[in-house]
Structure formats: structure tokens, C-alpha cells
């Protein structure tokens, strides 16, 4: 609840700027750009493997273990950046999803599945609209926000709707891990979380995802 209250004001400002408020509340994200991908495999039980091309991202890094405070701080840093907190004072259109991950987090791809979220920094990422490149993206003025190009990758993704909290995220990651472990694929990195809707969206229309980089 704390994160949702903290995020409503900046998210509402972004949506107002883009003229998307009513649409996103109802689950229509047609005005928000998303990274392109191709579905390359269906692992069953709602899990698919997606192939993503390289993506330019702005990453906010804060101390913490993914609690409400860390999430709220990271989101505010990204919001400030796309609202003009950069060397060109340029406003950048909001895209979806917003991605988050925890340094040191690990999900063992065996059964039973255990999740470790101990230590490390919490990172939240914003995906740039396709018109930007590493050379044209404005430079952040806050050192806690950095720009990088994520390499091409394959992600095993499990989508779910409704409200979420740390307990729900851990359970969804366990479900993802079990399916991947039994599929002939294996995880190659830490899991991530991807959120497509603001806190005031209708719960059952929300699109949330957990994902892990995988290889055959």
C-alpha cells in the first residue's frame, strides 16, 4: 500500500502529460510504447519464452532489498529523469513496462524452489522509446540514474493480473522457476519484474510479469 500511495502522484502526472489517464485505468495501453519481442516457445502453464532485441534503458539504482521505500525512491528518480532531469532538460514519453530487479537475487531452478533476496542494490529500469539511441538519449543529471544498452536476450515470462506485493512476487517467481526447470530450458541470470499499469488501474485488468533470462 505504501508504494502505491507514493507512486500515484508521479504516475498521475505522467499519464496526464501523455493524455492516457482514462485509457490506462481501463487497461488500454495503446498509447504507451513497449519493447518489441518475438515469442519463440510456449512452456505451458502460462509461461512463454520471448526473444528481445537490444534495448536502451535508464536504470535507477538505490540501496535496499526491493521494499516499498526502495521502489518508491527508484521510481521517483526515473520520473524526474524523463520529466526533464537531464542535461537537455528534455521530456521523454513514458513507456511500459517498468522493470525492476534485485542484485544478488537468485531463484534456484530446481524443485523445491527457494528465493534469495538478501543484500545488494535495487534497480528499476525505464525502456526508451524506439526513436532514441545511446548517442541521442539525454544524459541524466542524477548519478543514481545511468544509461545502458541491454544485450539481445531470451526471457521466460509468466504474466499475472491483480494487486501485487513481495509475497505475491516471490510466489509467481516460484511458479516460473518450476515450469522452466521442467522444460529443458535453464535460467542464466537473476529474475526481473515488469509492471505495465499504474496503481490506480482496475486490478483484474493489470498486466504484471515475472521473467528470467534463459537458454536451451
Amino acid at each position: 500500500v505504501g508504494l502505491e500511495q507514493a507512486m500515484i502522484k508521479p504516475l498521475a502526472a505522467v499519464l496526464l502529460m501523455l493524455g492516457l489517464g482514462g485509457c490506462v485505468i481501463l487497461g488500454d495501453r495503446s498509447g504507451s510504447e513497449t519493447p518489441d519481442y518475438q515469442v519463440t516457445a510456449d512452456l505451458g502453464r502460462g509461461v512463454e519464452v520471448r526473444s528481445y532485441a537490444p534495448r536502451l534503458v535508464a536504470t535507477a539504482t538505490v540501496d535496499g532489498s526491493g521494499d516499498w521505500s526502495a521502489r518508491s525512491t527508484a521510481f521517483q528518480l526515473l520520473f524526474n529523469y524523463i520529466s526533464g532531469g537531464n542535461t537537455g532538460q528534455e521530456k521523454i514519453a513514458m513507456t511500459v513496462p517498468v522493470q525492476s530487479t534485485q542484485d544478488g537475487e537468485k531463484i534456484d531452478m530446481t524443485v523445491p524452489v527457494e528465493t534469495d533476496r538478501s543484500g545488494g542494490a535495487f534497480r528499476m529500469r525505464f525502456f526508451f522509446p524506439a526513436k532514441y539511441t545511446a548517442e541521442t538519449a539525454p544524459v541524466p543529471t542524477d548519478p543514481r540514474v545511468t544509461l545502458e544498452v541491454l544485450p539481445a536476450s531470451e526471457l521466460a515470462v509468466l504474466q499475472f493480473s491483480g494487486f501485487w506485493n513481495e509475497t505475491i512476487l516471490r510466489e509467481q517467481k516460484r511458479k516460473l522457476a518450476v515450469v522452466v526447470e521442467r522444460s529443458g530450458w535453464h535460467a542464466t541470470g537473476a529474475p526481473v519484474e515488469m509492471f505495465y499499469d499504474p496503481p490506480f488501474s482496475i486490478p483484474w485488468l493489470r498486466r504484471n510479469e515475472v521473467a528470467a533470462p534463459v537458454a536451451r
Side-chain angles (χ1 to χ4, degrees), residues 89-155:
Q89 297 184 330
E90 181 176 348
K91 289 183 170 58
I92 304 170
M94 187 75 173
T95 64
V96 292
V98 173
Q99 185 188 91
S100 60
T101 187
Q102 178 75 46
D103 280 6
E105 181 173 12
K106 178 184 67 172
I107 295 186
D108 293 330
M109 291 298 175
T110 57
V111 181
V113 179
E114 295 184 358
T115 304
D116 177 15
R117 294 181 65 89
S118 59
F122 177 77
R123 303 179 191 276
M124 185 173 286
R125 286 176 173 147
F126 159 83
F127 294 91
F128 277 88
K131 69 176 184 178
Y132 289 95
T133 66
E135 291 72 33
T136 62
V139 177
T141 54
D142 192 310
R144 292 171 293 179
V145 178
T146 57
L147 307 184
E148 62 181 314
V149 177
L150 300 182
S153 61
E154 288 191 294
L155 297 179

Side-chain angles (χ1 to χ4, degrees), residues 45-60:
R45 296 180 63 183
V47 177
E48 63 185 16
V49 177
R50 300 176 186 169
S51 179
Y52 285 90
R55 293 146 289 162
L56 177 64
V57 298
T59 302

